[in-house]
Amino acid sequence: MVADVIVTICLGLGLLAAGLGVVGILRFPDVYTRLHAETKMTTCGAIFICIAVVVTEAGAYLATGEMQYAVLGLHTVLALAALVFTNAIGAHAIGRAAYRSGVRPDPAVVDRLKGVDIDD
């Protein structure tokens, strides 16, 4: 019963994060702020959804004692760890590539790389 409440809350928070990220992608002015919204959306949304999966699988494992539930929970944690690291690294690489290709931030956004040699 408590696990169901935790799962419902985590799924709701994951969906909320994903929805806010979509709004950010649609509303933000340039590639950098949109990239920020997308990265936060996928990271936070995935964290909450994976927590919901792990809680569900832990409850199923404790109820039945079958190892398949524990294995699925472990795989979920490993996939989440990979997603968190690769999402941040990928967003950095995309932002750097956009800047190097000449895409500049919106004038309302502070450009801290203006005048810095980034071709190293």
Side-chain angles (χ1 to χ4, degrees):
M1 173 107 136
V2 174
D4 292 336
V5 172
I6 293 171
V7 167
T8 304
I9 290 171
C10 286
L11 287 176
L13 290 173
L15 289 173
L16 178 68
L20 291 175
V22 169
V23 170
I25 289 172
L26 295 174
R27 299 277 308 184
F28 285 153
D30 62 357
V31 68
Y32 305 103
T33 52
R34 288 178 184 161
L35 185 63
H36 175 75
E38 183 274 330
T39 304
K40 294 296 180 192
M41 167 187 67
T42 55
T43 302
C44 291
I47 286 171
F48 285 116
I49 291 171
C50 286
I51 289 172
V53 170
V54 168
V55 168
T56 300
E57 298 309 317
Y61 174 71
L62 293 174
T64 64
E66 294 184 26
M67 282 302 292
Q68 66 185 8
Y69 299 115
V71 170
L72 182 59
L74 178 63
H75 285 178
T76 303
V77 170
L78 293 175
L80 178 63
L83 179 76
V84 167
F85 287 117
T86 58
N87 200 10
I89 293 168
H92 177 78
I94 292 169
R96 184 176 173 99
Y99 197 86
R100 289 178 114 183
S101 69
V103 178
R104 296 296 180 245
D106 188 74
V109 178
V110 177
D111 184 3
R112 294 192 179 159
L113 292 177
K114 185 184 273 185
V116 176
D117 184 25
I118 60 167
D119 292 328
D120 40 313

